[in-house]
């Protein structure tokens, strides 16, 4: 249920409605837009059937939210969400590029990569310390040591960080070192993990599961928002289809679809979709043209030596070249980089 307040509604009127909803056992979330304040009401809404909410002072209209996701929906919050992390804005006109290796490996290698991606225009350094590998015999990540490298390198070069959290037992540890928590495709429906990051103060990048629909992605995001964390970034990273010439099929249409349905920022990961570095630039340009708010790209100075995902990692020089072309496409669609 959404309660839309009149433009001139007072603070007292807002608080009165919130108190009333809470006394009925419902949870409220207030969204203050430029013109109007909206109160999202969640819980067992049946109790409202006998309560004519329209008569409350300050209320303009009351609308049911038809979609199963409430807080992530555009109905609840018509204007785009912009997440400000230490001055880097995700979801604003300027595109945000996150780049770095798949896995954090050696300190010097990470430093070299960070310097290069930063000079090409990336503002957020990516790198996994806890890796979700298909095989238990593959490299599993450096753990806390890797997190330390990531933080130290990012601080040294002046970037923010993003890294994956796989297990809520490591939440406090990961929070200590990173600016953004990544929830990987394989954990998109790990609902207990989603609830935990919903209680975190850190922004969360939620990747779409490789076999999940956009609606399921939005329902997963709803878990995070409904636990109090509104700083969620959605990420399209390719889905499984019958096509086998790419690792996954990048669902470019997910970008405008999500933009219609939700106010949350959308980032595209062309690397995991492509599986091959040669396809990454074209997919990135398509994603920007489709209206995404940024990209997360794997870059490695020596891809043949990478501990994971070398085949899809761009050399820093190729990444710089790609960024120049992204700049042009961004301009053509009214965005900056
Ligand atoms: C990654 O970002 O390295 C990763 C494992 O991504 P995904 O969860 O999309 O497979
Ligand atoms: Mn990877």
């Amino acid at each position: 249920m959404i309660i839309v307040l009149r433009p001139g509604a007072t603070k007292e009127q807002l608080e009165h409605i919130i108190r009333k909803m809470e006394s009925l056992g419902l949870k409220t979330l207030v969204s203050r837009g430029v013109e109007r304040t909206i109160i999202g009401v969640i819980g067992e809404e049946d109790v409202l059937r006998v309560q004519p909410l329209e008569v409350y002072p300050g209320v303009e209209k009351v609308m049911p939210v038809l979609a199963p996701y409430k807080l992530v929906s555009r109905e609840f919050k018509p204007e785009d969400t912009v997440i400000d992390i230490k001055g880097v804005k995700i979801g604003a006109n300027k595109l945000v590029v996150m780049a770095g290796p798949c896995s954090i490996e050696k300190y010097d290698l990470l430093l070299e990569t960070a310097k290069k991606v930063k000079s090409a225009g990336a503002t957020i350094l990516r790198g996994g310390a806890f890796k979700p590998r298909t095989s238990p015999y593959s490299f599993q990540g450096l753990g806390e040591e890797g997190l330390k490298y990531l933080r130290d390198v990012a601080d040294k070069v002046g970037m923010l960080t993003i890294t994956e959290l796989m297990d809520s037992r490591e939440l406090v540890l990961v929070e200590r070192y990173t600016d953004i928590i990544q929830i990987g495709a394989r954990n998109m429906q790990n609902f207990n993990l989603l609830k935990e990051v919903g209680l975190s103060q850190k922004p969360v990048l939620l990747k779409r599961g490789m076999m999940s629909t956009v609606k399921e992605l939005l329902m997963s995001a709803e878990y995070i928002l409904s636990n109090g964390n509104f700083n969620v970034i959605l990420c399209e990273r390719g889905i499984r289809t019958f096509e086998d010439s790419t690792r996954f099929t990048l669902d470019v249409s997910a970008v405008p679809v999500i933009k219609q349905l939700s106010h949350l920022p959308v980032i595209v990961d062309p690397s995991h979709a492509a599986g091959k570095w040669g396809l990454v630039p074209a997919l990135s340009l398509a994603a920007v043209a489709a209206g995404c708010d940024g990209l997360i790209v794997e870059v490695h100075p020596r891809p043949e030596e990478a501990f994971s995902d070398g085949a899809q990692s761009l050399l820093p020089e190729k990444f710089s070249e790609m960024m120049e072309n992204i700049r042009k496409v961004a301009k053509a669609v009214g965005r900056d980089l």
Side-chain angles (χ1 to χ4, degrees), residues 102 126 131-132 164 182 184-186 207 237 272 298:
C102 177
R126 68 146 287 151
K131 297 302 302 175
E164 180 164 354
Q182 175 176 326
R186 292 158 190 81
K207 289 188 135 192
R237 48 79 72 208
H272 289 87
E298 287 184 342

Side-chain angles (χ1 to χ4, degrees), residues 155-287:
D155 288 347
K156 204 168 260 175
V157 303
M159 294 178 85
L160 299 181
T161 62
I162 178 165
T163 197
E164 180 164 354
L165 172 74
M166 286 173 57
D167 188 323
S168 58
R169 287 172 294 186
E170 281 135 10
L171 175 60
V172 175
L173 180 72
V174 169
E175 275 177 328
R176 195 179 308 144
Y177 293 100
T178 197
D179 297 303
I180 306 172
I181 299 169
Q182 175 176 326
I183 299 295
R186 292 158 190 81
N187 272 317
M188 189 204 86
Q189 288 189 314
N190 182 340
F191 301 117
N192 286 337
L193 186 59
L194 300 179
K195 285 180 197 167
E196 289 296 326
V197 294
L199 298 169
S200 172
Q201 306 290 319
K202 297 275 178 177
V204 174
L205 180 133
L206 176 65
K207 289 188 135 192
R208 178 180 179 184
M210 59 191 77
M211 288 167 286
S212 300
T213 63
V214 165
K215 284 194 187 72
E216 286 162 343
L217 170 66
L218 296 177
M219 289 309 293
S220 289
E222 187 80 10
Y223 266 92
I224 306 175
L225 272 76
S226 63
N227 278 284
N229 189 347
F230 274 61
N231 293 326
V232 174
I233 305 150
L234 302 171
C235 178
E236 161 60 37
R237 48 79 72 208
I239 51 173
R240 206 157 252 178
T241 67
F242 53 79
E243 181 54 63
D244 63 1
S245 43
T246 49
R247 187 176 176 191
F248 296 96
T249 298
L250 183 68
D251 183 8
V252 180
S253 56
V255 177
V257 168
I258 296 170
K259 284 278 168 197
Q260 277 179 4
L261 300 175
S262 176
H263 52 86
L264 296 173
V266 182
I267 294 288
V268 168
D269 175 345
S271 308
H272 289 87
K276 298 172 186 148
W277 66 267
L279 300 172
V280 170
L283 297 186
S284 298
L285 299 182

Side-chain angles (χ1 to χ4, degrees), residues 1 16 20-21 27 44-45 48 57 59 63 90 105 111 129 150 152 154 188 203 227 232 263 276 284 290 307 313 320:
M1 186 80 75
H16 178 62
K20 181 71 191 166
M21 294 303 109
K27 209 162 145 186
E44 290 295 331
E45 292 171 20
L48 291 176
V59 173
M63 305 182 303
I90 305 176
E105 301 167 4
L111 183 61
L150 185 68
D152 196 77
M188 189 204 86
N227 278 284
V232 174
H263 52 86
K276 298 172 186 148
S284 298
F307 290 0
S313 299
S320 299

